Amino acid sequence: MASACATSIPLFQSHRVRHMLDLVVSTSGKLVEIYEDKDNARKDEINTHLTAPTQSGLFSKYYERLKEIREYHRRNPSARFVSTTDDYEELLKEEPVIEFTGEETFGRYLDLHELYNEFINSKFGTLMEYSAYVGCFSQTDKISHSHKATRKYREYLEHILEYLTSFLYRTEPLQDIDKIFLKLESEFEEQWANEGILGWGNKGTEKESEIDLDYYSTVEELVELGPEKLKQALAARGLKSGGTVQQRADRLFLLKVTPLEQLDRKHFAKVPHTKDGSNTAPNGNAFKEDMKKEIALMEVKMKRLCELLDEAFVRTKENAEKKLTLTYEEMEAEREEEEVQVDTESDDEEQQIYNPLKLPMGWDGKPIPYWLYKLHGLGQEFKCEICGNHSYWGRRAYERHFKEWRHQHGMRCLGIPNTKNFNEITSIEEAKALWEKIQARQGVNKWRPDLEEEYEDQEGNIYNKKTYTDLQRQGLI
């Protein structure tokens, strides 16, 4: 995993940028909601606190409201405004969590094993090797319309879209998948209405599988076309496409003398029911136009995602074919060799960075500009004895460390509260001396007889003077 992380700095950085973009979009959306003021909360706030009959009354309302806000933040220090500049810098430095399976090898290969098992165990699938399945993954034209009309095939397409979309987001987080799909849907609508989609029972299918029956005078001539072509021609018309070649030819030859609308219903494929329980339209199509259009759109989306992930598919197919020729020991040895090679390459890259001035490294793994180094005074070292003589480079990092966990832990070990009074104090002796002065000023070390003078009753119980006097006055002692 370490070697994978060493080669995935651009991927991590892309995810950080995507996270910040999502944060900007969500924050902008919240601001728009506030300015639109749909619930009239902003309007009520202005009318309640900032509206007055005279100019002097307006300012008095304003300062009253300001006083309330300051009082609230004084009682709740944790609710004070914190600059987000430091938060953004920390966000760029922290490592995002990107989940990949072992088969995916940190986004290098696709893990299609679950989809492969679903395909070979379905009625629309065929038995084949995993490498062959990867090679023909997007070829859905060979599946008949009767099988595409099933719920299993639709679920299979949904699983494909879900996985490919997730993989594309994890490997290319800056890709705008929603924008790609939106453009694809508009193009699909235009094609569906005009020239049709190839492989679906509209104009595209007719161009591909239409058989002009005027050229055939006998059933035997149709038999010579072969089972696959007859099957496509029957499926395009919504007729049953099963049976022997002779049965298919007989069924298709019926259309030479009988129109499709007048053909006996027993020759049509079974019509699936929609969600409301109604059948498909009586034109003999295998499923309704809207259902057919929906599944066709899913197939178009799947093919578009396969085009975007073409390189990953090629690598996955090559890797699957290579695994067929290797034993388990050879695969383990190759994996260890790749890890060592990647570590060596990452070390070489670090050694090749030209940094004669020893400047600090930026978020991109390169030395920061010299002017920025001088601007923030990063050549100036500050040591804090309370933090265990830890060094802080630059005034900004030094001032910020007083609120960080290391300094807070050191103050807690000394038994001193980490308040503003101890800012700029890094010596243990100075911190202790100041704490003693503060305690003396607050009267902590003064003798208080009521609380510290002790009394003992007949049973040997110890009380301070105030408690003993109260119990004696009540007759309990």
Side-chain angles (χ1 to χ4, degrees):
M1 181 60 69
S3 61
C5 293
T7 59
S8 303
I9 294 176
L11 180 60
F12 281 138
Q13 189 58 28
S14 298
H15 274 275
R16 295 188 190 102
V17 174
R18 176 59 185 263
H19 180 64
M20 292 188 67
L21 289 175
D22 293 341
L23 187 62
V24 170
V25 172
S26 63
T27 305
S28 302
K30 293 177 181 178
L31 288 174
V32 170
E33 291 181 1
I34 294 174
Y35 289 133
E36 288 179 350
D37 197 21
K38 293 181 179 179
D39 56 354
N40 293 325
R42 183 165 172 263
K43 182 178 180 181
D44 295 341
E45 181 80 6
I46 294 174
N47 293 335
T48 304
H49 299 285
L50 299 179
T51 302
T54 61
Q55 190 72 10
S56 59
L58 175 64
F59 282 106
S60 63
K61 287 283 185 179
Y62 169 78
Y63 286 113
E64 288 178 6
R65 184 59 176 161
L66 180 62
K67 183 179 179 181
E68 292 178 5
I69 294 173
R70 286 177 173 173
E71 183 65 22
Y72 170 80
H73 285 285
R74 187 187 64 80
R75 295 194 306 268
N76 303 277
S78 59
R80 292 178 181 175
F81 173 76
V82 180
S83 175
T84 57
T85 305
D86 298 338
D87 296 339
Y88 286 149
E89 292 182 356
E90 294 298 326
L91 186 62
L92 287 173
K93 292 178 182 178
E94 69 180 16
E95 187 174 292
V97 179
I98 313 173
E99 295 183 356
F100 287 101
T101 63
E103 181 69 21
E104 290 174 338
T105 317
F106 215 78
R108 182 169 178 80
Y109 308 113
L110 291 154
D111 187 2
L112 304 174
H113 287 85
E114 290 186 6
L115 297 172
Y116 167 70
N117 292 328
E118 185 177 354
F119 178 79
I120 63 175
N121 291 305
S122 62
K123 293 183 179 180
F124 55 82
T126 55
L127 290 175
M128 60 177 68
E129 293 289 343
Y130 177 71
S131 57
Y133 171 74
V134 176
C136 64
F137 181 79
S138 60
Q139 299 175 6
T140 59
D141 301 334
K142 298 180 180 179
I143 302 176
S144 64
H145 281 217
S146 58
H147 287 147
K148 289 184 178 181
T150 59
R151 178 176 55 84
K152 290 290 185 181
Y153 182 72
R154 181 173 178 174
E155 291 178 354
Y156 172 69
L157 287 179
E158 290 176 352
H159 295 162
I160 289 177
L161 290 177
E162 181 181 358
Y163 174 74
L164 293 183
T165 303
S166 171
F167 186 83
L168 182 64
Y169 174 77
R170 287 178 289 155
T171 54
E172 300 180 31
L174 297 182
Q175 281 275 17
D176 194 345
I177 303 177
D178 295 334
K179 185 178 180 180
I180 294 174
F181 280 169
L182 188 62
K183 181 180 179 182
L184 193 66
E185 290 173 1
S186 62
E187 294 176 354
F188 173 83
E189 292 289 344
E190 184 178 353
Q191 292 178 3
W192 186 270
N194 295 334
E195 68 270 14
I197 304 298
L198 190 64
W200 288 90
N202 52 0
K203 301 175 184 178
T205 303
E206 292 171 1
K207 294 177 183 178
E208 177 190 17
S209 58
E210 181 68 23
I211 297 177
D212 191 354
L213 297 177
D214 295 335
Y215 289 99
Y216 303 94
S217 56
T218 61
V219 178
E220 287 72 17
E221 294 178 1
L222 289 175
V223 172
E224 295 177 359
L225 295 175
E228 289 300 326
K229 196 165 185 179
L230 290 173
K231 183 178 180 180
Q232 292 177 5
L234 290 168
R237 294 168 172 81
L239 298 174
K240 292 180 179 178
S241 56
T244 62
V245 180
Q246 184 67 35
Q247 291 173 341
R248 295 178 185 178
D250 291 337
R251 198 176 302 122
L252 184 60
F253 194 75
L254 292 174
L255 295 176
K256 190 172 178 64
V257 295
T258 307
L260 183 65
E261 294 78 9
Q262 300 178 8
L263 200 62
D264 193 344
R265 309 306 298 175
K266 67 179 182 180
H267 297 298
F268 289 98
K270 291 183 178 180
V271 181
H273 291 271
T274 58
K275 294 181 180 180
D276 58 358
S278 61
N279 291 334
T280 57
N283 59 358
N285 290 332
F287 40 92
K288 291 184 72 173
E289 188 73 15
D290 55 348
M291 294 177 61
K292 181 166 58 174
K293 183 178 177 182
E294 183 179 357
I295 295 180
L297 178 59
M298 293 172 69
E299 287 187 354
V300 172
K301 287 183 178 180
M302 180 196 71
K303 292 179 181 179
R304 178 57 178 158
L305 290 173
C306 291
E307 291 175 1
L308 295 173
L309 298 171
D310 182 61
E311 295 182 2
F313 272 99
V314 173
R315 290 194 300 265
T316 305
K317 189 175 186 299
E318 293 175 352
N319 185 53
E321 292 174 347
K322 186 177 181 180
K323 283 185 176 180
L324 294 175
T325 63
L326 299 178
T327 62
Y328 176 76
E329 291 77 11
E330 291 174 338
M331 286 190 289
E332 287 294 317
E334 184 179 357
R335 183 181 61 81
E336 294 176 0
E337 183 179 353
E338 288 180 355
E339 290 183 356
V340 173
Q341 182 179 0
V342 170
D343 288 335
T344 305
E345 291 176 356
S346 61
D347 293 340
D348 293 341
E349 290 177 359
E350 292 178 359
Q351 294 174 1
Q352 292 174 0
I353 296 176
Y354 182 71
N355 189 13
L357 299 177
K358 305 297 181 182
L359 299 175
M361 308 303 289
W363 56 265
D364 56 353
K366 298 179 181 179
I368 65 174
Y370 185 71
W371 65 268
L372 187 63
Y373 173 82
K374 296 293 291 182
L375 176 65
H376 292 287
L378 298 181
Q380 187 177 6
E381 181 183 10
F382 297 89
K383 281 191 175 182
C384 180
E385 187 180 2
I386 299 175
C387 297
N389 290 324
H390 188 79
S391 297
Y392 297 94
W393 295 92
R395 182 72 188 177
R396 183 179 181 184
Y398 170 71
E399 293 177 351
R400 189 169 52 190
H401 99 278
F402 289 103
K403 297 181 181 180
E404 294 177 349
W405 67 270
R406 191 191 302 273
H407 192 84
Q408 292 177 353
H409 176 71
M411 296 291 285
R412 200 180 304 117
C413 293
L414 295 175
I416 302 174
N418 188 27
T419 60
K420 289 185 177 180
N421 297 324
F422 295 91
N423 280 3
E424 302 293 331
I425 294 180
T426 58
S427 172
I428 295 177
E429 295 299 328
E430 291 179 2
K432 289 182 177 179
L434 179 59
W435 178 234
E436 291 177 357
K437 290 181 180 179
I438 292 175
Q439 287 179 320
R441 193 184 313 123
Q442 294 176 350
V444 176
N445 296 330
K446 291 182 179 180
W447 169 254
R448 293 174 294 177
D450 293 339
L451 300 178
E452 298 180 6
E453 187 176 1
E454 296 181 347
Y455 286 81
E456 182 178 358
D457 62 4
Q458 296 178 355
E459 298 179 357
N461 299 319
I462 304 298
Y463 304 95
N464 57 31
K465 181 178 180 181
K466 184 176 183 302
T467 304
Y468 183 85
T469 306
D470 292 339
L471 294 175
Q472 191 177 42
R473 189 180 302 113
Q474 297 175 20
L476 299 177
I477 298 179

